[in-house]
Amino acid sequence: MKNRLLVLFCLAKTIAIAQSPAHQYQQTQSQLAKGWNTWNTQSVLSHVLLPEGLSLNIGFKTNGITGNRYMHESYLSTKAQRPEHIEAGYHAYDGSYTQCTVAWEGMIAKVETAAQGNDLAVLITPLKMPPTLPPSAVVEVALLWNQTGDVELSGNEITAKVENKTWKITGTANSVADFLPLKGRYLTFKCTQPIGISVGKTRNLAAINALISEKRTAFEVTLNKYGANKETYLAQQSALAWNMIYDPERQAVISPVSRNWNTFFGGHYVLFDWDTYLSGLMAGFDNKALAYANVVEVTKMIDQWGMVPNYVSAHGLGSPDRSQPPVGSIVVNELYKKYRDKWLVELLFDRLLTWNRWWLTHRQTNGYLCWGTDNVPPDGAANTWQGAAYESGLDNSPMYDGVPFDPKTNQMALADVGLMSLYVADCKALAELATILNRTADAQELRQRAATFSTTLQSLWHEEKGIFLNKRTDTGAWNERLSPTLFYPLIAQAATPQQAKRMIDEHLLNLNEFWGEWVLPSVARNDSAFKEQNYWRGRIWAPLNFLVYLGLKNYCFPAVTKALTEKSNDLLLKNWQSTKSVYENYHASGVGRLPNEALNRSDNFYHWGALMGYMYLLENQK
């Protein structure tokens, strides 16, 4: 009898573990982290098989006189000049088909891949080559991230072995002898004709073409579901799929803002706070697993610092002094409404509640919330005005020009409408999540807090101006610099219907301030900083448009909501169709970057730029 009870107890415990939120998330990651894909952040032409870590990297080598002899890494996004230019094509989330065009040292080549199980087929098609001395394609095979196994070269083929699995890597042309300082085994092919590469099952060129065509067609079937909106969907999906990587330290699939930013932050990955939450929400349009991965991985940071930091990267690199706009609970609540996975709420609720309470103890002055930064090393911006501006997410917004930073309170002396509005919305969303979990006391606490700060927000209404304004906490003076963040009381539902109408009629739709052909500028058009078009000083940012859209949805302004989504989508498509770029932000003239602008004004393949189309898809989905 005792043995039977013990067996039943162990069985019940095993079932409980299997159904636990942590296990559910582990299964989600296992679902993502498998098969061939562009998992390696350091090159979009590096295809890796998970979980084995077998990598096939496609590079190009010049055979003439030039300073750029070998292209080993390749990036879609740039904030500084690079020798290669990669144009994004199709990229299925599961890596079953990818396509991009490579321009480098006078050559243009199309690279396509098709995955079938553990096999991979690659097709390299020369489109334009130098008239003399055509370049070579270099196919390097290695095991990444210290994975164990063997990779051996024998004549025209490479054999890779991982545990009890074996792959043969062959080409449809003969490899030519060449000597490159590579650590992996490699095959080199002259780019004078289409070249096919087989990993696993050996295929001739016709068979590779057939598999490539099959996988391309399958991806296009997915696109065609969106009819007239398929280009909008493609831009959004591409921004997430091409930036999706695997990080071996986290042992997780994530989709950071861009591979270029990953390189800047130590070469592994970087997760920014509100960027990652909003990209998770966007991924949730049709990729639940990726949505959950981004949201969970960024929320995990609360365990370490009690809040979600401005940024976190590999090897403990992060910003322990400051957070960023609190949109996490809003996103988790929206994902729950769509997919109804209670385990996600159970996994994240206590962390999000900790973060919610953090704002009260770290960023409150006289009942108002202010952006700030604690005196915590080693970040160079810690406990400075710039650190507090970074926490706002609007790094150089003119709203904060001339506002003093108090190193004793660790805060800017400014009651911030945007922060307080998002905080009220965070409280309300978190209260809904508490109710789902039957956390009655927590729900009551959060609703009371939302009510308190909604009342405080009303004290920031400027009757004469017809809009909520930021206010100095040291002098009591109004700050009259206008930004889309001043419409955030609509997200919090803290504005009365009459106030909402005045804000929209007198400011949002005002051609001298925020309305026009291309919207919404990050500072009013009649502000002296607008003409600078320098980052948050006048440029158009997708998250601002999206958050204003969420606010409009809480009130009855269907025509304005429709116009905002259409104008935003037009801006996305104008740039996507001309350059296949999804920009970090947009010049107010309607382009991602002017021809003579510094590249660091706007990363050209930054995932949250696609929020411009995401809200349009939400409004037009069938």
Side-chain angles (χ1 to χ4, degrees), residues 385-527:
W385 177 94
Q386 185 61 75
Y390 284 153
E391 184 171 78
S392 76
L394 282 62
D395 305 359
N396 65 342
S397 171
M399 286 192 297
Y400 308 128
D401 288 1
V403 176
F405 174 78
D406 186 345
K408 294 180 181 178
T409 63
N410 306 318
Q411 297 170 29
M412 275 190 190
L414 191 72
D416 194 276
V417 170
L419 171 56
M420 293 177 64
S421 300
L422 290 176
Y423 187 70
V424 170
D426 181 85
C427 290
K428 290 182 175 181
L430 202 49
E432 290 186 30
L433 297 176
T435 301
I436 292 163
L437 300 180
N438 294 318
R439 302 273 291 262
T440 307
D442 292 329
Q444 184 177 357
E445 171 196 334
L446 289 159
R447 291 192 183 100
Q448 180 58 53
R449 191 141 62 238
T452 297
F453 280 96
S454 293
T455 300
T456 307
L457 255 178
Q458 276 296 327
S459 71
L460 299 179
W461 172 257
H462 195 293
E463 180 61 27
E464 182 182 348
K465 300 290 185 182
I467 195 169
F468 290 85
L469 290 178
N470 300 327
K471 187 183 244 186
R472 290 278 292 269
T473 55
D474 54 346
T475 66
W478 293 103
N479 183 322
E480 296 186 15
R481 308 298 285 267
L482 302 184
S483 159
T485 62
L486 301 180
F487 300 114
Y488 288 3
L490 302 177
I491 304 174
Q493 295 178 282
T496 67
Q498 295 77 18
Q499 289 172 337
K501 189 174 188 310
R502 285 195 65 189
M503 292 165 68
I504 292 166
D505 290 345
E506 298 175 28
H507 298 281
L508 184 65
L509 299 180
N510 186 334
L511 294 174
N512 292 320
E513 293 183 1
F514 295 104
W515 210 241
E517 182 179 12
W518 308 113
V519 299
L520 298 165
S522 49
V523 64
R525 298 181 193 279
N526 56 13
D527 190 299

Side-chain angles (χ1 to χ4, degrees), residues 270-325:
V270 61
L271 294 180
F272 294 111
D273 176 341
W274 64 323
D275 313 56
T276 307
Y277 279 117
L278 293 175
S279 72
L281 183 58
M282 188 166 62
F285 185 76
D286 68 335
N287 191 331
K288 179 174 77 169
L290 182 58
Y292 287 10
N294 265 19
V295 168
V296 172
E297 290 304 314
V298 73
T299 306
K300 279 182 177 180
M301 295 302 98
I302 295 172
D303 294 348
Q304 183 175 354
W305 288 314
M307 49 80 175
V308 178
N310 172 183
Y311 69 89
V312 64
S313 189
H315 310 307
L317 182 64
S319 55
D321 62 296
R322 61 185 181 270
S323 188
Q324 263 197 330

Side-chain angles (χ1 to χ4, degrees), residues 83-94:
E84 83 280 4
H85 174 74
I86 312 291
E87 184 176 280
Y90 294 163
H91 189 313
Y93 277 125
D94 63 1

Side-chain angles (χ1 to χ4, degrees), residues 539-611:
R539 296 179 82 90
I540 296 170
W541 290 76
L544 297 183
N545 282 28
F546 179 69
L547 290 171
V548 171
Y549 159 77
L550 289 185
L552 289 171
K553 293 289 288 181
N554 287 330
Y555 294 78
C556 189
F557 299 101
V560 181
T561 303
K562 184 174 185 289
L564 176 61
T565 58
E566 289 178 347
K567 286 174 176 290
S568 299
N569 189 55
D570 288 347
L571 180 57
L572 172 71
L573 290 183
K574 177 177 187 274
N575 287 272
W576 172 255
Q577 291 171 342
S578 62
T579 66
K580 288 296 182 286
S581 294
V582 177
Y583 284 95
E584 177 184 9
N585 58 67
Y586 296 84
H587 189 278
S589 64
V591 297
R593 291 191 300 235
L594 294 178
N596 60 346
E597 274 195 301
L599 296 183
N600 64 5
R601 286 282 174 91
S602 180
D603 187 310
N604 64 300
F605 216 81
Y606 194 107
H607 61 34
W608 79 0
L611 288 165

Side-chain angles (χ1 to χ4, degrees), residues 33 101 105 108 163 257 260 336 372 391 440 467 481 550-551 553:
T101 303
E105 288 297 307
I108 301 175
E163 295 180 347
V257 293
N260 174 66
Y336 175 77
E391 184 171 78
T440 307
I467 195 169
R481 308 298 285 267
L550 289 185
K553 293 289 288 181

